[in-house]
């Protein structure tokens, strides 16, 4: 039986050092009905009839739950044959890493994997207690959809917020033209207007020399708002990152990927890229960090054949946050890229911040920066570093030591 279903009840979190993301100092929080009901400096006297569980966080830093905006919830890969299709990550791979919300998508394999499968995986994660949404489409055009159009999918399929990850400047892409990109973006944008959803085009950037040229052309030759174009993996090349800074100044949100970077590689790690972004003077609210969890991280030879691969992990988010803090960046300055900024981009109004009325998606960090306690909608998934809830096909003995 799945033990990850939400449980009713109220919780009083005591002695939390709150970063909302701004620092609020020592606070007490009352959680109930999935929301933060009250917050203040002194613990309230609660009637015994409420049977509220009291949890002393002992001064640990309490942050909003991390929002991982780029996750292959069905698994990614497939570039080197069907045997290289990556299995779907299980629930605890997210929660142990402090991730309380994910946005799922398809990548290179948008043929054997489908939007139908993606939506089913999103619903499954929701049933297990995780916040989950997704994008229709994948690397290629025409995009894979459920209703026959991007506009229809975003308008009528509740979890779908936009289209992505559409590949550009990559040998695996369908080599979209400017007109094709503009038509796709207009579909997403209008559907967003109709529904109040994000309505964005989440763009996979390869390491091709054209970089973000197509996006610059789209901004110059159309009336579409810059926020509709959301490039990711922009730290994979240093020159590409500089292009992305320019786009952020023009109104785009850009997304950094927390992938491994070798010494001497022509790339910036997510922590170094985030520090450079924040020091550049670009709008601090227009940068996000995601993990590419469940996705294949391949390298290719000169002939376009896979010569090695790794797999993205949601744990890379918290690792990169701790790495940027080790660089001397204040938590309140770095934290929005993992919480508030993706919530605003995705128009998830009750996510990404700690305040009364917001969703009770919360992570208490231990002294080493690991997720000591994780609450999703006020329900505990991790307590005192121990996993309380597991996915349908997980067992404590197999996954208790995985982060």
């Amino acid at each position: 039986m799945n033990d990850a279903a939400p449980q009713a009840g109220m919780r009083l979190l005591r002695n939390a050092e709150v970063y909302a993301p701004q620092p609020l100092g020592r606070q007490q929080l009352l959680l109930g009905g999935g929301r933060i009901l009250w917050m203040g400096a002194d613990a309230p006297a609660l009637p015994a009839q409420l049977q509220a569980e009291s949890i002393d966080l002992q001064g640990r830093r309490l942050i909003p739950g991390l929002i991982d905006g780029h996750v292959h919830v069905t698994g990614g890969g497939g570039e080197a044959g069907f045997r290289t299709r990556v299995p779907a990550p299980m629930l605890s791979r997210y929660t142990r890493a402090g991730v309380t919300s994910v946005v799922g998508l398809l990548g290179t394999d948008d043929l054997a994997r489908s939007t139908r499968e993606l939506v089913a995986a999103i619903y499954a994660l929701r049933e297990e207690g995780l916040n989950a949404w997704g994008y229709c489409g994948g690397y290629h055009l025409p995009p894979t959809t459920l209703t026959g159009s991007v506009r229809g999918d975003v308008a009528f399929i509740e979890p779908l917020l936009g289209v992505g990850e559409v590949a550009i400047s990559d040998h695996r892409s369908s080599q979209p033209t400017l007109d094709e990109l503009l038509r796709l973006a207009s579909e997403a944008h209008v559907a967003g207007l109709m529904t109040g959803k994000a309505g964005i085009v989440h763009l996979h950037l390869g390491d091709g020399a054209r970089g973000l040229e197509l996006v610059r052309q789209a901004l110059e030759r159309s009336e579409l708002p810059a926020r509709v174009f959301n490039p990711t993996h922009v730290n994979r090349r240093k020159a590409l990152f500089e292009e992305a800074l320019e786009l952020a100044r023009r109104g785009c949100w850009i997304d950094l990927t927390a992938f491994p970077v070798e010494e001497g590689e022509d790339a910036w790690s997510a922590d170094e890229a985030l520090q450079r972004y924040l020091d550049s003077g670009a709008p601090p609210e227009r940068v996000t960090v995601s993990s590419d969890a469940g996705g294949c991280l391949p390298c290719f030879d000169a002939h376009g054949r896979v010569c090695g691969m790794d797999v993205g992990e949601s744990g890379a988010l918290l690792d990169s946050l701790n790495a940027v803090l080790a660089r001397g960046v204040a938590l309140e300055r770095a934290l929005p890229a993992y919480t508030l900024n993706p919530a605003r981009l995705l128009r998830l109004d009750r996510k990404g911040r700690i305040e009364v009325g917001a969703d009770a998606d919360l992570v208490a960090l231990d002294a080493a920066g690991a997720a000591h306690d994780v609450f999703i909608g006020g329900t505990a998934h991790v307590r005192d570093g121990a996993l309380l809830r597991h996915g349908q096909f997980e067992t404590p003995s197999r996954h208790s030591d995985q982060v």
Side-chain angles (χ1 to χ4, degrees), residues 273-299:
L274 181 56
Q275 182 180 37
R276 286 176 174 273
Y277 183 97
L278 295 174
D279 290 343
S280 73
E285 69 276 10
R286 293 189 192 143
V287 62
T288 61
V289 183
S290 64
S291 73
D292 212 352
C296 178
L297 306 178
C299 64

Side-chain angles (χ1 to χ4, degrees), residues 86-108:
V86 179
M90 295 189 182
L91 176 68
S92 68
R93 305 300 295 200
Y94 306 116
T95 55
R96 287 290 298 269
V99 172
T100 59
S101 298
V102 298
V103 181
L105 41 69
L106 302 178
T108 309

Side-chain angles (χ1 to χ4, degrees), residues 8 70 77:
H70 185 111

Side-chain angles (χ1 to χ4, degrees), residues 45-61:
L46 298 175
Q49 293 89 334
L50 290 180
Q51 297 183 330
E53 180 186 9
S54 179
I55 300 173
D56 189 352
L57 294 181
Q58 299 177 344
R60 295 185 187 92
R61 294 165 294 169

